[in-house]
Amino acid sequence: MTPGHEVVGTVAGFGAGVSGFAVGDRVGVAWLRRTDGTCAYCLRGAENLCPRSEYTGWDADGGYAEYTTAPAAFAHRLPRAWTTWPWRRCSAPGSSATARCAGPPCHRAAGSVSTASGQRPSLRAGGARRGGHGACADPGRGRAAARAGAGAASARDAYEAPPEPLDSAILFAPAGELVPVALRALDRGGVLAVAGIHLSDTPPLDYEHELFYERELRSVTSNTREDAREFLGLAARYGVRATTHTYPLSRAADALTDLKAGRFDGAAVLVNDLNG
């Protein structure tokens, strides 16, 4: 299986039954590739829970290639602000590619905690919000980035208590040991959403200090197409940009090695150089 689940490219062709796209259009292909459209979850607008869902780079070849295919119903037209930039500029393919996976689930997580708490958290690695002020808890250099570019009112180590109890929080790190830490940081009635696709084992929870007073723990499973479309519109409207580092596709192995070694912050983006 060819991996790659955050894909941006140019339409090279399409099937006879496809409408709404033209050759040359810039589109994105996300992690969620297909759902059955008929199950109880799909019919109630929760297609991200479809038991017969398929995923890009997992059930079908992904974007680590010169060409890939995708169901037209699950391809996303990119915002005009992203399609008008020169293709070789880092910010255009980088921001739009990383918005294919990282952005929409975070957006869904923000909506899930705001529904219960009345507050919308900031989209950070340990983001939370209290009274309209974003906070960030991160084990490393993410704290500096949160202060400098994300407008966080507070940026602390992941294990530090926030300056005041939080209405809501989102955990992006796949570290189960941070679940009780985040729960203890919540105010009464606060909500914690775990937004990753994987989480290591969670330690036993102390009911009195971590769950009592109607604190709530919930998970977020991928996103729906509507989540993705809404997020793309907001990202274009507010000028969201990702911190990216480009590598030619022929150096994909180097990108993965550098990522594992922590040689850059943000995300690596592979640019197809095999056809010149």
Side-chain angles (χ1 to χ4, degrees):
M1 184 66 64
T2 303
H5 64 279
E6 299 174 291
V7 188
V8 168
T10 302
V11 175
F14 44 84
V18 174
S19 61
F21 293 98
V23 172
D25 285 350
R26 297 271 171 75
V27 298
V29 180
W31 168 237
L32 182 64
R33 176 184 174 85
R34 191 192 304 273
T35 60
D36 63 22
T38 60
C39 70
Y41 305 101
C42 288
L43 294 178
R44 76 182 194 205
E47 65 180 7
N48 59 311
L49 302 179
C50 176
R52 286 177 287 277
S53 55
E54 296 178 3
Y55 297 92
T56 306
W58 184 265
D59 297 297
D61 289 335
Y64 283 28
E66 296 174 77
Y67 294 91
T68 190
T69 61
F74 287 81
H76 298 275
R77 191 180 301 279
L78 299 183
R80 183 174 178 80
W82 283 342
T83 60
T84 54
W85 294 337
W87 181 240
R88 290 292 178 175
R89 279 181 55 183
C90 170
S91 56
S95 290
S96 51
T98 54
R100 301 291 72 245
C101 178
C106 300
H107 178 60
R108 183 175 183 84
S112 76
V113 296
S114 66
T115 299
S117 69
Q119 299 290 343
R120 180 168 284 266
S122 56
L123 304 184
R124 288 295 305 156
R129 198 171 188 87
R130 171 69 186 187
H133 296 285
C136 169
D138 189 276
R141 53 190 172 189
R143 296 196 298 275
R147 292 191 188 98
S154 172
R156 299 175 177 234
D157 183 79
Y159 290 90
E160 281 188 87
E164 58 181 314
L166 305 172
D167 291 315
S168 58
I170 302 175
L171 177 64
F172 297 124
E177 65 269 21
L178 291 178
V179 169
V181 176
L183 286 170
R184 286 195 297 271
L186 294 177
D187 201 354
R188 299 182 182 205
V191 182
L192 168 64
V194 178
I197 196 171
H198 169 77
L199 188 72
S200 61
D201 290 344
T202 303
L205 298 178
D206 183 317
Y207 180 74
E208 180 179 357
H209 296 99
E210 293 157 7
L211 288 174
F212 197 49
Y213 295 121
E214 299 189 1
R215 297 184 182 94
E216 184 175 339
L217 172 63
R218 60 178 59 173
S219 65
V220 175
T221 301
S222 187
N223 58 270
T224 66
R225 284 171 287 173
E226 183 58 32
D227 292 327
R229 294 182 187 117
E230 185 177 272
F231 174 78
L232 287 172
L234 290 172
R237 177 180 177 183
Y238 292 108
V240 174
R241 301 289 183 268
T243 300
T244 59
H245 307 270
T246 57
Y247 289 75
L249 185 59
S250 56
R251 291 187 56 213
D254 294 336
L256 292 171
T257 298
D258 291 347
L259 173 66
K260 183 177 181 179
R263 296 192 178 104
F264 57 79
D265 56 352
V269 175
L270 302 179
V271 178
N272 183 5
D273 64 328
L274 300 181
N275 288 324

